[in-house]
Amino acid sequence: MNKFWIVLFHTYLMKLKTKSFLITTAIMLLLVIGLSNITKIIALFDDSEEKIGVIDQTGTMFGDVQLGMKAIDEDVELIELKTEEEAEKLIDSEELTAYLMIKSDEQEIIKGTYKANTLADTTVSSELAVVLSQLKTKIIANELQLTDKQIAALHSPVVLDTVAFEENAKTEEELNQARGLVYIILFIIYMAVIMYSNMIAMEVATEKTSRVMEILISSVSPVQQMFAKILGIALLSLTQMLLFFGVGYWSIKRNLSDMNEGIFSFMGFGSTSMSTIMYAIIFTLLGYFLYATLAACLGSIVSRIEDVQQMITPMIMLVVAAFMLAMFGLNNPSATYITVTSFIPFFAPMIMFLRVGMLDVPFWEISLSIGLLVASIIILAVFGARVYKGGVLMYGSAKSLKNIRKALQLTKKD
């Protein structure tokens, strides 16, 4: 057992000290800090006021347009101009970003034309369209002699209350918040499973290529090696995850007041429950152990690093399929195909977490899914150990899953 711990900590420390791990971790930490400070970063590069020229051919609209634009975006300054030639000169000298021409047609309905050097940024033109639409409605309402109360009633949206009969069902607002958070954690599970499983397969193949395996199996049994490597990489992933979640939690807490608007209002950072975090950790670890065991098994039957990707491609496709199902399920987590696939071990780490994060799932269903997942990991570990034991002794070309049978035959002869 002492040799098991030596291999485990050797795998952990060796990977921990590699330049690729340190650089990847540093880049990811910078990315986490950057995303949680994205509002401040955007404001830092977007502090200049935009100047837009307005040619009002109606002669009466400029004041109302200026007032309406001020209410929507204070950073846009409107300047009244007389002719298009004057506006084009100011755009050429970069004193103006664009100009808007306002006129009315035969029915005296106002219409506008927006001109700029480039139309890549549609923010200001969209805001001006809103202002002109409001003015058009106001003019028509005045012609129909509608009161302010009638105009307000005309613009007010329909109130549609949504009520769930189930006692603990989430409200629509809670579901929208959970959807953003679950999306982020699903993406983390997807990346973790692919990255660390691939790392194990590459580790085993590299040792076989360098013939280090022949020295190792003379002192440590292949089964001990396999589980020591899986747990060593698991320890490495936990180290990295703790850093990501720790720095992310600290950075989000510091910027929580700036993350209540726009896309962040759908993320639900302020209402993340501890049970959601716990289930995220549980399903990430179980997903990792399931796919890591499979990756070690597949990595053991190749003898060249170039063959690793081809051998683990079917496993990667399973992970991608689970992720795609989860993405479809975000809009309808109570769909039958989501419920069924949440009990299939290769899909459960993502699909059951999706249901747990967005619905009030009975505890027995969660327990059943976790139980099936653990049982699958044990069965795969027993089978994988037998394949690994014979696989590490195989050399030569290995490009298909038929080599698993050869590895099992070698194990029986041993």
Side-chain angles (χ1 to χ4, degrees):
M1 200 62 188
N2 187 40
K3 293 174 182 176
F4 171 84
W5 294 110
I6 291 173
V7 175
L8 190 156
F9 286 110
H10 171 74
T11 304
Y12 171 67
L13 292 173
M14 187 182 69
K15 287 290 178 187
L16 189 69
K17 293 175 182 175
T18 56
K19 283 184 181 177
S20 59
F21 176 80
L22 294 173
I23 292 171
T24 305
T25 305
I27 291 173
M28 290 299 291
L29 288 176
L30 286 174
L31 193 63
V32 168
I33 294 172
L35 285 174
S36 54
N37 287 276
I38 192 69
T39 309
K40 292 178 180 174
I41 294 171
I42 290 174
L44 191 66
F45 291 97
D46 191 28
D47 57 351
S48 59
E49 288 189 356
E50 288 200 71
K51 293 183 178 179
I52 307 294
V54 177
I55 303 169
D56 182 14
Q57 293 187 343
T58 66
T60 57
M61 303 300 299
F62 178 74
D64 291 332
V65 173
Q66 192 176 37
L67 199 63
M69 197 63 194
K70 201 73 177 174
I72 293 177
D73 191 343
E74 292 186 351
D75 293 330
V76 177
E77 183 184 354
L78 299 185
I79 300 170
E80 190 170 16
L81 303 173
K82 298 298 180 187
T83 62
E84 285 193 78
E85 290 75 17
E86 183 186 1
E88 287 170 2
K89 283 181 183 176
L90 291 172
I91 289 175
D92 287 341
S93 61
E94 297 185 352
E95 293 181 47
L96 286 183
T97 306
Y99 72 89
L100 170 71
M101 182 184 291
I102 305 171
K103 55 186 176 183
S104 55
D105 58 16
E106 295 78 13
Q107 287 80 35
E108 296 187 351
I109 295 175
I110 60 170
K111 55 187 293 187
T113 305
Y114 181 85
K115 294 185 179 180
N117 284 332
T118 172
L119 300 176
D121 185 359
T122 59
T123 306
V124 176
S125 60
S126 300
E127 291 171 347
L128 286 169
V130 171
V131 172
L132 292 180
S133 296
Q134 290 173 347
L135 289 176
K136 175 188 165 187
T137 305
K138 187 179 176 182
I139 291 169
I140 295 174
N142 287 336
E143 289 176 355
L144 296 173
Q145 297 183 340
L146 298 178
T147 64
D148 290 342
K149 189 176 179 181
Q150 289 172 321
I151 296 172
L154 195 63
H155 286 290
S156 61
V158 174
V159 177
L160 178 65
D161 292 326
T162 52
V163 179
F165 285 116
E166 290 183 13
E167 187 179 348
N168 298 319
K170 287 184 169 67
T171 64
E172 190 174 0
E173 185 183 358
E174 289 172 335
L175 273 175
N176 287 334
Q177 289 187 340
R179 190 172 287 114
L181 185 67
V182 167
Y183 176 79
I184 290 175
I185 295 179
L186 280 175
F187 193 74
I188 291 171
I189 295 174
Y190 170 73
M191 292 299 294
V193 167
I194 285 188
M195 187 168 67
Y196 296 118
S197 300
N198 191 55
M199 194 181 288
I200 285 183
M202 291 296 289
E203 172 79 8
V204 175
T206 303
E207 285 183 354
K208 282 187 69 176
T209 305
S210 63
R211 304 287 171 159
V212 174
M213 187 64 72
E214 293 174 8
I215 301 170
L216 281 173
I217 59 175
S218 63
S219 54
V220 186
S221 75
V223 177
Q224 279 188 334
Q225 279 182 51
M226 187 182 89
F227 289 110
K229 288 181 188 302
I230 289 173
L231 290 174
I233 301 290
L235 204 58
L236 186 79
S237 68
L238 277 177
T239 305
Q240 208 168 34
M241 288 295 168
L242 283 174
L243 278 171
F244 293 160
F245 279 112
V247 172
Y249 180 80
W250 169 78
S251 189
I252 286 172
K253 277 290 180 187
R254 281 175 60 88
N255 298 287
L256 200 57
S257 58
D258 299 328
M259 301 173 74
N260 294 323
E261 297 179 354
I263 190 172
F264 295 113
S265 61
F266 298 99
M267 295 299 179
F269 288 126
S271 56
T272 307
S273 66
M274 187 51 69
S275 63
T276 303
I277 300 294
M278 289 303 296
Y279 281 126
I281 294 171
I282 290 170
F283 282 110
T284 303
L285 285 177
L286 290 177
Y288 163 75
F289 281 120
L290 182 75
Y291 283 103
T293 309
L294 188 57
C297 172
L298 295 173
S300 69
I301 59 176
V302 300
S303 53
R304 296 189 310 164
I305 296 174
E306 294 84 355
D307 295 336
V308 171
Q309 287 303 325
Q310 185 176 341
M311 191 57 68
I312 65 171
T313 296
M315 184 195 77
I316 299 294
M317 294 307 293
L318 273 175
V319 182
V320 172
F323 184 69
M324 294 304 295
L325 277 171
M327 290 299 101
F328 286 121
L330 279 172
N331 290 324
N332 188 8
S334 57
T336 305
Y337 73 92
I338 292 295
T339 305
V340 172
T341 51
S342 68
F343 295 102
I344 299 174
F346 286 104
F347 298 148
M350 292 188 202
I351 308 295
M352 182 50 85
F353 173 71
L354 163 74
R355 293 184 63 206
V356 169
M358 298 192 66
L359 303 173
D360 183 34
V361 183
F363 185 70
W364 72 266
E365 289 192 20
I366 303 171
S367 303
L368 178 61
S369 180
I370 290 176
L372 289 172
L373 198 49
V374 171
S376 300
I377 292 170
I378 293 170
I379 292 170
L380 198 57
V382 173
F383 177 75
R386 293 178 63 193
V387 174
Y388 189 92
K389 195 174 178 181
V392 293
L393 300 172
M394 290 171 50
Y395 286 94
S397 178
K399 294 183 178 179
S400 72
L401 296 177
K402 291 179 183 176
N403 290 74
I404 292 177
R405 190 174 61 184
K406 293 180 183 176
L408 289 171
Q409 288 171 347
L410 277 175
T411 304
K412 287 179 183 176
K413 290 178 184 176
D414 187 26

